[in-house]
């Protein structure tokens, strides 16, 4: 069973548990997700099965879109609603929509983030949340992320000294929306946390083409779960396509280094090589050691398939 199951992960479930359940329904242990979603977050979680697990690193790197809510006036240990309160401030006057939109412009583009202590980032071979559970706070190196678009989707609302508003953000791999919410609060001089989050899209996958675990259970009962899978080709739409003839296909399937194809002459890092039957054979990239040549980046199919 090879393909990508576009799961709409429910709130209250870890990404690990989701992968385990999907693998069980498809009767395979070869399964992997393409970007962790916290238990309190629902939304798009593509799960690669079988040989499609080769694509995990590429799909994880895809741009993602979230709809979230930030609450100003309270900060927490985890930077979201599940943590213990760290700091509070009573807000007497609500900021205008224009104020928020101006501030969003400052946070759009390339920004630096320090990963939260409650995250799976590893420092000295240990995950940050493991340090946090021991009551330790350690130095974390800042990382560059990209906020492609940040839009306000509701008017700021003042309630009992706290201000909340919703937003939509499209961002690069590795962006912590929790940390973005903290930054939003800092811009206004208040403690803040992420009070709600939904992942709406991840690369080629979005809310409209996802299935729930209930959908999968129903399909498995009819032994038709394969119909819910998206193909490798559907998942790789962001890579430019180079079609090869039958003779070249055989070389590709053997992992050969090839002359840079005329269609691959554009300034791209990776190309998807397809055969005449519209099947993706492999991902290729320019060979830095051989001018005018390209080499396999990732084999999708082999000569034994």
């Amino acid at each position: 069973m090879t393909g990508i199951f576009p799961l709409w992960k429910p709130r209250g479930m870890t990404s690990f548990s989701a992968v385990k359940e999907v693998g069980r329904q498809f009767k395979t242990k070869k399964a992997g997700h393409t970007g962790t979603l916290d238990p309190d977050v629902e939304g798009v979680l593509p799960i690669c099965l079988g040989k499609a697990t080769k694509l995990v690193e590429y799909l994880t790197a895809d741009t993602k879109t979230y709809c979230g809510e930030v609450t100003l006036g309270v900060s927490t240990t985890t930077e979201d609603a599940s943590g213990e309160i760290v700091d509070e401030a009573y807000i007497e006057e609500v900021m205008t929509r224009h104020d928020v939109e101006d501030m969003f412009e400052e946070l759009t583009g390339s920004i630096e983030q320090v990963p939260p202590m409650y995250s799976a980032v590893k420092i000295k071979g240990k995950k940050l949340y493991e340090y946090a559970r021991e009551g330790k706070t350690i130095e974390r190196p800042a990382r560059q992320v990209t906020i492609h678009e940040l839009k306000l989707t509701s008017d700021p609302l003042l309630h009992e000294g706290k201000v909340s508003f919703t937003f939509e953000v499209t961002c690069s791999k590795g962006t912590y929306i929790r940390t973005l919410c903290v930054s939003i609060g800092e811009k206004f001089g208040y403690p803040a946390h992420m009070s709600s989050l939904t992942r709406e899209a991840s690369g080629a996958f979005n809310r409209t083409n996802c299935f729930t675990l209930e959908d999968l259970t129903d399909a498995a009962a009819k032994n038709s779960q394969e119909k819910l899978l998206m193909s490798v080709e559907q998942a790789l739409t962001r890579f430019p396509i180079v079609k090869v003839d039958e003779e070249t296909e055989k070389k590709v399937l053997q992992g050969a280094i090839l002359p840079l194809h005329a269609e691959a002459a554009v300034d791209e890092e990776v190309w998807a090589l397809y055969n005449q039957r519209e099947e993706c054979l492999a991902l290729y990239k320019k060979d830095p050691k051989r001018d005018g040549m390209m080499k396999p980046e990732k084999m999708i199919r082999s000569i034994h398939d």
Side-chain angles (χ1 to χ4, degrees):
M1 195 76 77
T2 292
I4 300 94
F5 178 68
L7 173 66
W8 184 266
K9 187 190 82 66
R11 293 190 199 278
M13 174 178 264
T14 65
S15 296
F16 176 81
S17 296
V19 170
K20 192 173 179 181
E21 176 60 18
V22 170
R24 186 185 71 80
Q25 297 275 23
F26 279 99
K27 299 181 175 63
T28 179
K29 292 182 180 179
K30 203 167 185 182
H33 66 69
T34 60
T36 304
L37 278 182
D38 292 336
D40 288 345
V41 180
E42 69 171 326
V44 179
L45 184 66
I47 296 178
C48 297
L49 302 169
K51 291 183 179 179
T53 52
K54 296 177 181 180
L55 305 179
V56 165
E57 63 183 290
Y58 302 100
L59 302 188
T60 301
D62 278 339
T63 296
K64 296 172 175 62
T65 298
Y66 298 87
C67 288
E69 180 187 64
V70 57
T71 296
L72 279 58
V74 178
S75 63
T76 71
T77 51
T78 56
E79 301 184 351
D80 61 16
S82 68
E84 297 176 6
I85 294 175
V86 174
D87 191 18
E88 289 187 87
Y90 191 90
I91 303 174
E92 296 183 351
E93 187 176 345
V94 67
M95 60 285 300
T96 67
R97 188 181 183 97
H98 183 69
D99 290 336
V100 177
E101 289 173 340
D102 281 350
M103 182 270 297
F104 276 5
E105 287 187 22
E106 296 176 27
L107 290 172
T108 302
S110 180
I111 65 171
E112 281 196 345
Q113 284 192 330
V114 175
M117 279 302 302
Y118 280 89
S119 66
V121 173
K122 279 190 175 181
I123 302 287
K124 296 179 180 178
K126 196 171 178 179
K127 292 178 180 177
L128 284 175
Y129 67 73
E130 293 175 323
Y131 289 110
R133 288 170 182 169
E134 295 171 0
K136 298 176 182 177
T137 300
I138 64 170
E139 288 290 320
R140 292 97 71 200
R143 53 170 63 176
Q144 290 282 135
V145 298
T146 303
I147 306 298
H148 298 290
E149 188 174 25
L150 182 56
K151 297 190 299 185
L152 183 65
T153 54
S154 75
D155 291 329
L157 177 66
L158 177 64
H159 179 68
E160 296 181 349
K162 308 292 183 288
V163 171
S164 297
F165 48 86
T166 60
F167 60 88
E168 181 180 297
V169 57
T170 299
C171 56
S172 67
K173 168 195 173 184
T175 303
Y176 283 96
I177 309 303
R178 289 178 282 154
T179 304
L180 179 65
C181 288
V182 171
S183 297
I184 289 170
E186 289 173 348
K187 290 286 185 181
F188 285 113
Y190 296 113
H193 70 280
M194 182 186 77
S195 40
S196 180
L197 189 68
T198 300
R199 184 192 279 166
E200 294 287 338
S202 178
F205 306 91
N206 56 55
R207 179 188 283 267
T208 59
N209 58 26
C210 280
F211 298 100
T212 65
L213 288 173
E214 290 74 21
D215 293 331
L216 178 55
T217 299
D218 291 344
K222 302 169 187 172
N223 203 30
S224 61
Q225 60 266 52
E226 192 169 359
K227 293 180 180 178
L228 305 186
L229 290 179
M230 289 182 71
S231 68
V232 166
E233 289 74 22
Q234 288 172 296
L236 293 176
T237 53
R238 72 183 174 93
F239 293 107
I241 293 173
V242 173
K243 277 198 175 181
V244 299
D245 57 29
E246 195 171 327
E247 183 181 344
T248 306
E249 177 182 353
K250 293 175 184 176
K251 295 178 182 177
V252 171
L253 292 175
Q254 293 172 335
I257 293 172
L258 302 171
L260 195 61
H261 198 282
E263 294 178 35
V266 292
D267 190 22
E268 296 284 352
E269 291 186 4
V270 178
W271 303 279
L273 269 58
Y274 278 61
N275 60 20
Q276 296 299 311
R277 299 182 300 283
E278 307 292 338
E279 297 170 332
C280 184
L281 306 172
L283 298 177
Y284 265 63
K285 66 178 182 179
K286 285 182 181 177
D287 190 333
K289 297 180 181 179
R290 301 175 180 84
D291 191 37
M293 305 294 284
M294 58 183 180
K295 66 176 186 176
E297 164 76 359
K298 181 72 69 173
M299 298 301 298
I300 308 299
R301 289 179 168 84
S302 74
I303 201 161
H304 303 295
D305 290 343

